[in-house]
Amino acid sequence: MPDNFPLADLLPQSRNMILIDRLLAADDQHALVQLSVRDDGLFSGPDRCVPAWLGLEYMAQTIGAYSGYQRRRAGLEIGLGFLLGTRHYQSSVDRFPCGAVLTVRAEKIIETANDMAVFDCKIDGAGIQAAAKLNVLLPEDWQRFIAQKAA
């Protein structure tokens, strides 16, 4: 069971953009979160569904929760991460119904010395499965990284 860090303390997004609800588990290699698909009009349509491509954001936020959890455990402030790309996003459905409860697992499979990592991600729910590998950049010092890119 992870330490009791609220998601708002692990993710840099503003509160209404945090789309995941609970960090269920985390360790050095993975994070597992739970969410209820929201019907708040931000991404949901009149059919009370969100497009399945939003699963990529659920996966990215799970990786963000993983990173925030690791940083908080180390006594560091959370930082920004960057989604560089994805490979082979597959979903068993073309949309997720609002109210559906989903679990998202992100497992780190590769980490390089230049702060890049690849996570194997899976979404599961009633009649819903999605999977992808996400390439991310999780700079140790994100402020210096941004300053270097701006110069």
Side-chain angles (χ1 to χ4, degrees):
M1 193 72 167
D3 300 338
N4 193 20
F5 294 122
L7 282 174
D9 291 347
L10 301 178
L11 295 168
Q13 285 91 341
S14 63
R15 292 191 189 273
N16 66 335
M17 282 303 296
I18 296 176
L19 303 180
I20 58 178
D21 298 328
R22 292 181 40 212
L23 179 62
L24 300 175
D27 61 26
D28 292 338
Q29 292 300 117
H30 90 286
L32 179 69
V33 305
Q34 183 180 57
L35 67 101
S36 291
V37 177
R38 295 188 338 207
D39 187 15
D40 59 3
L42 189 59
F43 295 102
S44 60
D47 62 352
R48 300 199 63 242
C49 293
V50 301
W53 56 257
L54 193 59
L56 289 170
E57 180 64 18
Y58 297 153
M59 293 173 179
Q61 288 193 17
T62 302
I63 294 168
Y66 164 85
S67 177
Y69 175 76
Q70 300 305 324
R71 293 180 65 85
R72 289 295 305 258
R73 281 184 47 214
L76 303 170
E77 291 193 26
I78 63 170
L80 293 180
F82 303 92
L83 175 61
L84 301 177
T86 184
R87 288 180 272 164
H88 309 294
Y89 179 69
Q90 297 178 336
S91 176
S92 64
V93 296
D94 61 352
R95 57 187 186 256
F96 303 140
C98 292
V101 176
L102 306 176
T103 57
V104 186
R105 180 180 182 86
E107 181 91 27
K108 183 171 60 173
I109 55 176
I110 299 171
E111 184 174 16
T112 66
N114 61 354
D115 298 329
M116 292 177 56
V118 178
F119 285 80
D120 185 29
C121 300
K122 292 184 175 35
I123 297 174
D124 287 299
I128 298 169
Q129 290 82 40
K133 290 187 176 38
L134 272 62
N135 302 321
V136 298
L137 178 67
L138 301 171
E140 190 170 322
D141 185 345
W142 66 270
Q143 291 170 326
R144 185 179 63 164
F145 176 81
I146 297 284
Q148 288 174 343
K149 296 302 175 193

